[in-house]
């Protein structure tokens, strides 16, 4: 694992960990997702599913490096109600990533960009910053997004 | 409400009752659905939703005659964890319904049929019967369904 | 119903028609949605639901003017497998709508705009046009969208 | 509207407002939900749906008093990308609500209780408090919940 | 595979088998799930998905030991309408499990418990027993659950 | 890969590629699915999910031969907004497939059939043909399907 995470790379030592939850208070789910990010999960998401006897449930998914398996299990077993988890080996292909600044009417704002084989293919305003501007200046969030995107496009 | 429920009719005195559940053990849902049918609900179904703070939840829906509102509320308030329900007035348009028998290799089986303006538009094998035949004769359920449907078509 | 549909207005004579489908080949759904648009539905969408005995189903929703109720019912009863539908009265508040042209590197393209109380609040490239440009010029669809949006912003 | 919101009551002047979103960045959804609560929505939730041409979308639902319709519309039209909304009249039946304190190993914690026809039918630990205790004391959230529930039960 | 299934263990010889169903009567799904459990599946669940041309479908998931692959395939190919299945190798980490009895006002009831690294982390009332008590004594299912949980907590 | 794709076979060199999309216009999804089929994907489907901070998103899934990985990545990185994808090795078990003709009142129509271990287990009318007949003859799509299925059954 000597790659620079800012460069485009493939990481073959990832796990996709899953747990089906059908007897847990769903109110706890976002709290548990945050705890999983804290122990190092690369991504966490839940999928609505239908389980045994037609019960609505959610499947918790955690994408994480193999070396963090037991840390993730620690959170899942202590915070959820599951009696077991499963995992599969996965490879992650991540684009080269960088941050750019653009000048907007509300000051400098950040755009996260992604490169595939050296070519810029993604650019996205930073959610947290846009949210803060929207609140501070009482403008719709979409207006902030659009201005940041337009200003970035005009530079590229 | 003098209509014959076997004839095609519109019933304008229905309610669609809804309750959002985000802090309840989902394991209980199918049990609660059964209880709602017992007190007279015409239909009960649940919809996966995303609630406040991004929590996964389910919306319970009960379609029922207005006069049964308090019976349905009694079940919902005692069996779920909700602090409130909402309801909207609804009209139900139901087809004329009848049951037909068809001869199959496993004996006489029932087909539920529906008529719109006097014309046969729906026919469906009875699930419970087909399920029982499938189990008893060790044939795939879909094979039973297909034979019942084919035999019905040949008669009509 | 003397309002001009291009002006912002509230239409109080709408129906939301729903049918739960648990015994129908889901392959037919998009075909049926198209037929419902053909008879005049304003909107059609489906919701994944869990029905009686935990069965996965879909709820078909049709938003339509009251005067078109029987036309919509005709399609639902002949094309789906349902034995009944329900409907609720609804009001629709629609923004004033207009179409604008913007000059792009691929020629003039259309932007659909929406006004709330006289103020421009929405603008969206026309999907069909962008899709055609993306195919013809072998550019990513998102690149076409972004250019159209940017060009529109620079004009406003 | 002279009822005391802490007593059990039925409020017949509610609206269920819906907007289907198929061309909006879903990243904005939780931000928009928060804004809707800020202007007075009683509940806000989203439902995954399938729209025209098979597009995945979300249906935004806002339950709100009739008198707040235009405030809610203001948020929806300025913050989402929709060109229209619909609404239906709804009645809400809300239980009598109260807050109780229970002594736990982490101090006094709050339980929200609900009464239907004078009988206690619901009780739920306050999420925010439990979350804070879980973080502060490094105990699983479910352990906090369970203790609060048990202590409440022993008192009742 | 010499491990005792009551002890905590990791089983590396599992398969996650998936089949996408878009042209099948969804009414059959729970019947098929039961059949899959009968031939030895460890878990079965379905996920609502959107397939080719925007069709709503369900993805059937079966978690099973590798040696049972052909038995599971036999059920899927004979009972569903799919022309193919896929599978991925998976590892299952299962907690040590045990059953405890607690004294309640309705007699002795069972709690299923789970241990991670020797520490009790899960406990759940047995659904079937609680359901039977709820029916027999005409008490809400949630009341039975809560009493069982509380009694278990007081013992531990 | 010397197997004849018309014979029943297991293909062990497949990948299941996944990308979570939470900041993309969902209007683009079906366009992107079509592009993925064009570069050789065996199957493409999307799953509604809940992502970080409770955001509604969709997970794009592509089932494809290993040798087509970079072609699929090319489409995903250029057409979606994701900064990374993941993939897992998968095996596909595909039934032997064949096409049969049946005589109907609208002429000869095609049935796709599947064989498991030499035994016919699946048969399905070709959607595209049935759709065309339904439109041309103004008959419900389900009527066309049923006739094709019945005619096929009578021959077998």
């Amino acid at each position: 694992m000597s790659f620079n995470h800012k460069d485009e790379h493939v990481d073959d030592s990832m796990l996709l960990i899953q747990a089906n939850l059908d007897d847990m208070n769903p109110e706890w789910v976002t709290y548990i997702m945050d705890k999983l990010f804290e122990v190092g999960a690369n991504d966490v998401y839940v999928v609505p599913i239908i389980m045994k006897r037609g019960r609505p449930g959610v499947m918790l998914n955690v994408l994480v490096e193999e070396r963090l398996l037991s840390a993730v299990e620690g959170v899942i077993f202590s915070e959820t109600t599951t009696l077991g988890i499963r995992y599969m080996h996965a490879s992650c292909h991540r684009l080269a990533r960088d941050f750019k600044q653009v000048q907007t009417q509300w000051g400098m704002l950040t755009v996260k960009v992604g490169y595939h084989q050296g070519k810029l293919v993604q650019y996205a305003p930073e959610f947290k910053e846009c949210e803060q501007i929207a609140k501070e200046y009482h403008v719709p969030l979409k207006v902030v997004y659009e201005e940041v995107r337009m200003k970035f496009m005009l530079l590229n």
Side-chain angles (χ1 to χ4, degrees), chain A:
Chain A
M1 258 178 283
S2 57
F3 48 76
N4 176 346
H5 261 271
K6 295 192 60 176
D7 294 335
E8 185 167 11
H9 65 276
V10 175
D11 182 341
D12 287 321
S13 55
M14 299 295 294
L15 295 178
L16 181 63
I17 303 175
Q18 300 182 323
N20 291 4
L21 308 171
D22 79 341
D23 68 345
M24 191 183 92
N25 184 339
E27 198 175 22
W28 305 342
V29 169
T30 42
Y31 175 83
I32 294 167
M33 290 171 80
D34 288 347
K35 289 222 80 165
L36 290 163
F37 279 114
E38 279 170 29
V39 296
N42 290 55
D43 207 358
V44 184
Y45 56 96
V46 299
V47 183
I49 62 174
I50 305 177
M51 296 175 67
K52 199 168 46 172
R53 294 181 206 132
R55 292 170 184 160
V58 291
M59 174 172 43
L60 178 65
N61 284 258
V62 187
L63 188 68
V64 72
E65 294 172 35
E66 284 173 357
R67 65 183 179 83
L68 293 173
L69 171 60
S70 70
V72 165
E73 289 182 326
V75 173
I76 295 178
F77 288 134
S78 60
E79 297 283 350
T80 79
T81 57
T82 195
L83 287 163
I85 57 108
R86 61 185 172 274
Y87 48 87
M88 289 163 282
H89 291 274
S91 299
C92 285
H93 182 160
R94 302 188 188 98
L95 297 184
R97 294 159 200 219
D98 203 357
F99 294 93
K100 305 284 186 184
Q101 299 292 313
V102 291
Q103 181 66 48
T104 73
Q105 58 175 296
W106 310 285
M108 296 300 277
L109 289 174
T110 309
V111 177
K112 192 177 196 176
V113 294
Y115 300 89
H116 180 44
Q117 298 171 349
K119 190 182 164 195
L120 188 152
V121 287
Q122 315 297 17
Y123 60 96
E126 278 288 274
F127 178 80
K128 288 270 186 190
E129 277 183 14
C130 294
E131 187 186 37
Q132 197 183 320
I133 294 295
K135 286 180 178 168
E136 196 176 325
Y137 291 86
H138 302 288
V139 275
L141 181 60
K142 72 183 178 193
V143 169
V144 183
Y145 258 71
E146 282 302 309
E147 172 148 341
V148 175
R149 296 179 72 86
M150 183 190 70
K151 289 294 169 59
F152 181 79
M153 281 188 75
L154 292 175
L155 291 180
N156 287 270

